[in-house]
Amino acid sequence: MKQDEYRAAFLPVTKQDMENRGWEQLDIVMISADAYVDHPSFGVPLLARLLESKGYKVGIIAQPDWQDDKAFLKLGVPRLCCMIGTGNIDSMVLKYTSANKPRSEDFYAPGGKSGFRPDRVAPVYVSKARQAFGKDVPIIIGGLEASLRRFAHYDFWSDRIRNSVLLDAKADMLIYGMGEKQTLEIVRRLQEGQKVEELTDIKGTCVSFSEKHKEEILKNSVWPLVMLPSFEEVAGRDKKSNRPTEEGKRAYAEAFQMQLEHENPLKSTRILQQSGNRYVLQNPPADRLTTKEFDSLYELPYTRMAHPDYDKDGGVPALREVQFSITSNRGCFGGCSFCAITSHQGRMIQIRSKESLVREATSLTKLNGFKGYIHDLGGPTANFQGLACMKQSKAGPCDQRQCLFPSPCLNLQDTHRHYLEILEAVEAVPGVKKVFIRSGIRFDYLMEVCSPEIREQFIDHMVTHNVSGQLKVAPEHIDPQVLAVMGKPRVGAYEAFEEAFHQANHKHGLKQYLIPYFIAAHPGSTLQSALKLALYLKKVGFVPDQCQEFYPTPGTVSTCMYYTGLDPRPGMDFAPVYVPKGRERTLQRALLQFNKPGNAKLVKEALQLCDRMDLYHVLCRR
């Protein structure tokens, strides 16, 4: 394919691209905090392709220079609206480590170089877009950063409660969740001539308004209304010390719990939070995609490549892991405290048809660079391939209990047979040599819900077909106290899976390994907890080369615990939670990596605090 033809396969990124299509003006300008990678794993390109499929003229401005006003006008003023995607990952998480130090790389930028995005993308981009397009062009924000900061939230980097990003950014609307249905509905109504201030009842969106408009906006609602504690209540600080008050922390935990209890798309509820003389109104979650809608969305004509403008930089590193991967499902009913997927994608699993997955696999075999290996076939959790239970189809997920924690619900249904069927179907596609599972297996679901017969079939198939030397799993800890706070299964479930995995390898004459992930310094973990884990790792002969230190990212239960010291999960009665901070975080991480020579002094310090210096040579001897 010639360069001009190849470039034309992408959506317009310059005025020249528009002219080549015979377009004088775009309907929608989409601004992305990530580089333009035309792949369904990237939010802005996915939504842009969806809008294109409905006949709208769409262009993308990726990572504009936020210090240059002209950069936001490179595609002209849009006819309907400007949509701003805040990125696949929160900008602060991408730019700073868990120790709050600047990162040297950004895998969602050209060449993996840092410096292509500002801190807190939404307020910066909205301000520049408003200057560029004027007050008459609606500006709508979405993406993970917008979705998980839609109400007053704890911000780790400033160590305080920040306002809703919708108010901070002064955008006209906020899209939360995955965004497809909301995006189409917003654009359809704008096309019909409605004004953006009239779009106050679209599911999966948040809007803001003043006291003056409160009664008008709420009076005709068919959905029940829940009022959260106000921003002023949840952000309460002592006037003398400027430290958070206990009352403020409790109010924040209560507000967070109320949000958790109203994430059910089948029990539509509106949530309202006041901040000064403004209100943030969250409409009910968007309806889930049907299998047919999900299929068609992922079969749009993506090039699955980074835009050719990035060729000189070596492309975009984030593409490498997903270019030859296939998304089969969305959502997660795992309920891990440190993960926000349930609040973004929902607890109700959405799946694609086997036929669609086979068609996508077939299309992958025709791409340049494909060598026969599909790097992943899954989603947030690969072996969640259907609704958790039959009740969910009519009532949605339970408000007061999790599906797998503290033990698997008796109503859980097993979907491993279906997953096996789609694995086998994709593996049978001509040109496919192997299909890997890299998006994670929830081993307690496999070991405690799956029938023995299907479990053996699944593990045998996985070991012989879907693993290449190593399989990554996430037990996260071994201390029951910490696992309970994490919402993770007991260590016995991991050990049972480990044994079954090794038995299957032995049965088939293979030598493959489990690579477990562990988290240091998670809420609930004391130095004694970290020491228990270190001794366990020593006993089983595994010391992680990399160890994740808990990162209080926006929107997670664990982050609420980190800030408040309280457990906000429904049914937990706001129980106190121990929270390691400061130097203790470093010491806990050092204990988990006790074999690193540079950690010897830190291990000694940790053992002294635990009054267990007798264990120093047990851990640190070579």
Side-chain angles (χ1 to χ4, degrees), residues 17-38:
D17 292 338
M18 291 169 57
E19 290 175 11
N20 292 343
R21 291 186 175 218
W23 295 354
E24 293 184 5
Q25 185 183 29
L26 295 174
D27 296 321
I28 304 110
V29 166
M30 304 199 77
I31 300 175
S32 173
D34 297 331
Y36 177 19
V37 179
D38 193 37

Side-chain angles (χ1 to χ4, degrees), residues 194-385:
Q194 291 190 43
K195 295 181 179 179
V196 69
E197 54 266 27
E198 298 174 323
L199 310 184
T200 60
D201 62 345
I202 297 176
K203 286 187 172 184
T205 67
C206 296
V207 296
S208 68
F209 49 85
S210 66
E211 182 75 41
K212 184 172 106 174
H213 297 101
K214 178 182 176 184
E215 184 177 349
E216 176 189 350
I217 289 173
L218 299 179
K219 66 180 179 181
N220 294 320
S221 177
V222 296
W223 299 311
L225 184 70
V226 173
M227 190 80 176
L228 299 182
S230 69
F231 169 76
E232 288 74 18
E233 290 175 291
V234 303
R237 300 181 82 87
D238 183 81
K239 291 182 180 179
K240 290 184 179 179
S241 66
N242 198 32
R243 293 180 178 176
T245 63
E246 294 307 310
E247 294 80 9
K249 290 180 178 180
R250 173 74 184 215
Y252 184 84
E254 289 175 351
F256 195 89
Q257 183 182 91
M258 293 167 74
Q259 293 170 54
L260 292 176
E261 291 175 333
H262 294 92
E263 294 179 333
N264 186 342
L266 301 188
K267 292 183 179 179
S268 298
T269 306
R270 288 177 129 181
I271 303 178
L272 190 67
Q273 185 174 51
Q274 185 174 5
S275 177
N277 62 356
R278 301 287 297 179
Y279 292 87
V280 172
L281 175 67
Q282 174 187 292
N283 287 310
D287 295 332
R288 297 175 302 131
L289 296 178
T290 65
T291 294
K292 183 177 180 180
E293 290 169 335
F294 201 177
D295 286 349
S296 63
L297 179 66
Y298 275 73
E299 292 188 64
L300 292 172
Y302 308 98
T303 64
R304 303 184 80 99
M305 298 291 291
H307 193 276
D309 282 354
Y310 306 132
D311 289 351
K312 62 183 184 302
D313 302 299
V316 179
L319 174 62
R320 294 170 194 156
E321 280 296 308
V322 299
Q323 185 175 18
F324 302 121
S325 295
I326 299 176
T327 297
S328 63
N329 58 302
R330 269 189 189 174
C332 183
F333 53 78
C336 300
S337 298
F338 47 80
C339 180
I341 286 174
T342 53
S343 292
H344 187 66
Q345 294 193 7
R347 288 171 58 192
M348 299 178 71
I349 305 300
Q350 302 166 63
I351 61 171
R352 291 172 60 189
S353 69
K354 179 169 63 177
E355 293 75 17
S356 177
L357 297 171
V358 167
R359 286 194 295 269
E360 184 170 346
T362 302
S363 69
L364 289 183
T365 65
K366 300 172 184 177
L367 292 178
N368 288 335
F370 183 74
K371 298 180 180 178
Y373 301 99
I374 293 177
H375 297 160
D376 187 32
L377 176 61
T381 302
N383 56 332
F384 289 174
Q385 292 289 334

Side-chain angles (χ1 to χ4, degrees), residues 176-191:
Y176 72 93
M178 297 303 283
E180 293 90 7
K181 293 202 170 186
Q182 307 94 300
T183 297
L184 291 179
E185 181 67 6
I186 290 168
V187 173
R188 180 187 69 80
R189 292 203 196 178
L190 292 174
Q191 172 82 345

Side-chain angles (χ1 to χ4, degrees), residues 97-101 156 519-522 525-527 530 547-550 562 578-594 596 598-607 609:
T97 68
S98 59
N100 215 357
K101 295 180 180 178
F156 170 67
I519 298 179
H522 189 276
S525 176
T526 63
L527 272 175
C547 173
Q548 182 180 350
E549 186 177 309
F550 170 66
Y562 178 87
Y578 177 78
V579 180
K581 292 189 177 181
R583 185 164 180 79
E584 186 182 345
R585 287 165 58 88
T586 302
L587 296 179
Q588 288 202 25
R589 180 170 182 165
L591 278 172
L592 269 60
Q593 295 182 297
F594 53 80
K596 287 193 172 183
N599 284 346
K601 289 184 179 180
L602 293 172
V603 170
K604 184 176 288 187
E605 182 181 344
L607 292 175
L609 290 171

Side-chain angles (χ1 to χ4, degrees), residues 529-584:
S529 305
L531 178 56
K532 284 182 184 179
L533 178 52
L535 292 171
Y536 176 86
L537 294 173
K538 183 73 175 182
K539 178 183 175 182
V540 300
F542 177 81
V543 183
D545 290 330
Q546 293 182 329
C547 173
Q548 182 180 350
E549 186 177 309
F550 170 66
Y551 202 164
T553 57
T556 71
V557 169
S558 299
T559 297
C560 180
M561 293 174 177
Y562 178 87
Y563 175 68
T564 66
L566 302 170
D567 191 334
R569 292 174 293 179
M572 296 301 176
D573 298 322
F574 301 104
V577 177
Y578 177 78
V579 180
K581 292 189 177 181
R583 185 164 180 79
E584 186 182 345

